[in-house]
Amino acid sequence: MSRRDLGKAMYGAVLAGASTDAAAEATPKNAPAKGAPAKGAPGGNVTLIRGAYVMTMDATRGDLPEADILVRDGRIAALDRALPVPAGADIVDAAGAVVLPGFVDAHTHGSISQMRGLYGNTPETAFFPVTNRLSAHYTPEDTYLGMLLSAVENVASGITTTADFFDIVRDRDHAEAGLRALQDAPIRARLLYGMKSKTTADPIDLAHVEEWQRGWAQRSAGGRLSLGLAWRLPQDLDDAQAWTIKQREWEAARRLGLPMQVHVSGTVPGRAAAMFDALIGRRMLHPNLQVIHATDARDDQLAALEEAGSGLVVTPLTEHRVGYGLTRIDRFAGTRRLGFGIDGSALAGFTDMFALMRLVALTQAGATRDETAVSPRRLLELATVGGARALGLDAEIGALVPGRAADLQIVRLDAWHLAGFDGGDPSGLLVYSARPEDVAAVMVGGRFVKRDRRLLGFDAAALLGQARSSIRSIRRRALRADP
Ligand SMILES: [Zn+2]
């Protein structure tokens, strides 16, 4: 047995046969294959990734052409040229490939991912009416499938961390199903616990959130998951009663030390600005809160955000799609904690951080009539370390630095649309030319969850089939209730 095969065999033992089709077929409905890589503690195996062009995305380390990365016990142990090969290491030849931190999707809506394709851009088939109508007919299994599908699609495309704004928590069974999905999914995730639906005024089930928080160590899948609040402002900003509820939720999150996210957005002129002003006026901005969208934020509002130390997440694919305005990145030049979010593959259409970066680059250059308006390097920073900083996770993830979690992706440059590249800084290639299918391998907490362009531990075909039958049943139930 060659050293490489030996490494694979050892790794296979850790995964307990997760990558074999037989194991996937034997899996019960709605569950990942036995031994799915991400459940439980990070891997204890040793992996050596050799000869890659390494983009650390760390300001002092920069890029390391032809470098090796040693991963041990789920963390980056060393990063240098020609590292010695430890006995029993799983060796990955990454010559000619680029290794960079996994992307950070700092805001998404996983539970509705099987609604993709149902939005038809008419008043009746727009995002909110369709989502609200169908989500009222979700079962816990639908929630589980949506969030699992979203997370699996994320890792397949190079995203290793996601913040899931879980805002369709119909009851505690749905909440538990959502949590189970993220426990089973091969991704690092923050579950942001929210309301029953996007529009009802029912308060968040804070008692359940507190119960989860008390026993979070048992729920966190070995520390891979964190908990937060998916918080919303009142529909009517003058509704004093609604504010009482919102204030109580905000205070609970502060007391429990939970991170929170809040949307500041709208298609009605002045709506987003009024939301931002309400947050500032009520002194509700703080370092453990991320504002989402704020596409047209004024300078004074962004200055208040900086002063409070809050994070900001923009989601250009969906902001453009629903008409929240053009996401111009120059507007946020002074925002220290800025990241990108997919905001749900159902609305974005595709979980594709490459496409997101490209959209930002093209929008910025077109709007300013300036090809040099934004560098590809800056966009890659926002997609990795920027998102980690926005979420307050930058001590753990976002850059390839010894001691941090080994969350990374290997991008192979061997496709037609990447032809012609012959070394040097690959930033432009990644932003303007690369696609999710070029992500050949993805590692979360030291374990490969994708390798040789194959997802490990998941039967993708079965998952897609389950998602299809889930949305079919949801639509049938919705039609029966409201023909
Ligand atoms: Zn959102």
Side-chain angles (χ1 to χ4, degrees):
M1 188 184 274
S2 73
R3 178 169 272 167
R4 189 190 170 106
D5 287 339
L6 184 68
K8 273 187 179 171
M10 290 185 64
Y11 186 63
V14 173
L15 286 189
S19 63
T20 67
D21 290 336
E25 273 165 26
T27 298
K29 189 178 180 288
N30 296 352
K34 189 166 165 264
K39 192 160 189 169
N45 53 339
V46 179
T47 304
L48 184 66
I49 301 169
R50 300 181 84 181
Y53 185 100
V54 178
M55 304 177 83
T56 69
M57 304 316 289
D58 175 64
T60 54
R61 284 176 178 80
D63 289 4
L64 305 168
E66 290 181 45
D68 300 346
I69 302 176
L70 180 69
V71 174
R72 192 191 295 275
D73 297 330
R75 301 202 164 260
I76 294 169
L79 199 83
D80 211 338
R81 273 170 174 269
L83 288 173
V85 181
D90 178 12
I91 304 208
V92 180
D93 175 13
V98 177
V99 176
L100 71 159
F103 292 132
V104 177
D105 166 22
H107 176 82
T108 203
H109 299 262
S111 73
I112 58 167
S113 58
Q114 62 269 59
M115 287 193 200
R116 189 186 338 230
L118 299 181
Y119 310 121
N121 304 1
T122 67
E124 301 76 33
T125 62
F127 175 70
F128 284 104
V130 169
T131 306
N132 290 335
R133 177 161 182 257
L134 294 183
S135 60
H137 299 279
Y138 259 51
T139 63
E141 290 71 29
D142 298 320
T143 298
Y144 177 89
L145 265 178
M147 286 172 78
L148 184 63
L149 183 67
S150 170
V152 171
E153 194 183 355
N154 263 327
V155 291
S157 69
I159 291 168
T160 50
T161 294
T162 188
D164 199 326
F165 196 96
F166 183 18
D167 57 348
I168 306 174
V169 187
R170 297 187 63 208
D171 56 29
R172 289 187 177 191
D173 288 342
H174 285 76
E176 297 292 350
L179 174 61
R180 211 165 51 243
L182 294 180
Q183 287 168 338
D184 289 347
I187 198 164
R188 193 178 302 281
R190 177 170 291 167
L191 184 151
L192 297 146
Y193 195 122
M195 307 192 310
K196 281 187 195 304
S197 83
K198 290 180 185 296
T199 46
T200 54
D202 301 298
I204 295 170
D205 186 346
L206 291 174
H208 199 211
V209 174
E210 281 204 51
E211 185 189 312
W212 274 11
Q213 167 81 339
R214 275 197 301 274
W216 191 250
Q218 284 77 52
R219 291 179 171 88
S220 71
R224 188 167 47 80
L225 307 182
S226 57
L227 180 63
L229 217 62
W231 189 60
R232 276 187 190 276
L233 294 177
Q235 292 275 354
D236 175 1
L237 293 172
D238 296 322
D239 184 342
Q241 208 181 330
W243 270 114
T244 309
I245 295 171
K246 301 300 170 188
Q247 183 80 32
R248 195 182 305 138
E249 292 170 352
W250 184 92
E251 283 165 10
R254 294 298 277 155
R255 178 166 46 80
L256 298 170
L258 293 176
M260 347 167 42
Q261 294 197 342
V262 62
H263 292 102
V264 167
S265 55
T267 51
V268 180
R271 166 77 181 161
M275 292 170 90
F276 214 149
D277 284 339
L279 283 172
I280 296 166
R282 289 169 181 267
R283 310 183 72 80
M284 285 178 144
L285 295 174
H286 57 77
N288 218 4
L289 176 141
Q290 294 102 50
V291 169
I292 313 300
H293 306 311
T295 320
D296 297 317
R298 300 188 311 264
D299 287 349
D300 63 296
Q301 292 174 326
L302 292 173
L305 181 105
E306 284 310 292
E307 201 180 319
S310 302
L312 183 74
V313 181
V314 293
T315 69
L317 293 167
T318 63
E319 285 156 1
H320 283 221
R321 174 150 192 196
V322 297
Y324 286 165
L326 291 181
T327 312
R328 288 186 49 167
I329 210 70
D330 59 348
R331 194 181 294 283
F332 309 109
T335 306
R336 284 165 302 160
R337 297 179 58 197
L338 180 66
F340 289 143
I342 298 293
D343 202 20
S345 57
L347 185 60
F350 198 40
T351 295
D352 185 344
M353 196 60 88
F354 300 101
L356 187 153
M357 293 189 289
R358 199 171 306 141
L359 175 63
V360 173
L362 299 178
T363 303
Q364 190 60 40
T368 55
R369 298 171 184 271
D370 179 5
E371 184 185 341
T372 68
V374 62
S375 74
R377 173 73 54 166
R378 164 83 175 136
L379 297 170
L380 283 163
E381 279 168 8
L382 292 174
T384 54
V385 67
R389 213 177 280 139
L391 294 175
L393 296 174
D394 47 316
E396 182 72 0
I397 57 160
L400 301 180
V401 173
R404 290 199 203 165
D407 288 14
L408 55 83
Q409 55 180 319
I410 303 177
V411 181
R412 297 259 174 212
L413 309 177
D414 52 7
W416 280 107
H417 56 273
L418 302 173
F421 182 73
D422 66 345
D425 180 0
S427 302
L429 195 74
L430 294 176
V431 168
Y432 289 99
S433 308
R435 303 173 186 164
E437 58 264 35
D438 301 318
V439 178
V442 178
M443 183 180 260
V444 176
R447 284 187 182 175
F448 279 112
V449 297
K450 184 182 185 185
R451 190 164 183 178
D452 300 328
R453 292 193 161 89
R454 282 193 64 203
L455 281 171
L456 303 179
F458 279 87
D459 182 344
L463 186 55
L464 291 177
Q466 288 168 14
R468 196 170 299 131
S469 76
S470 159
I471 193 62
R472 222 175 264 152
S473 324
I474 293 165
R475 294 179 80 183
R476 209 179 302 127
R477 291 194 293 275
L479 258 179
R480 213 179 294 140
D482 178 22

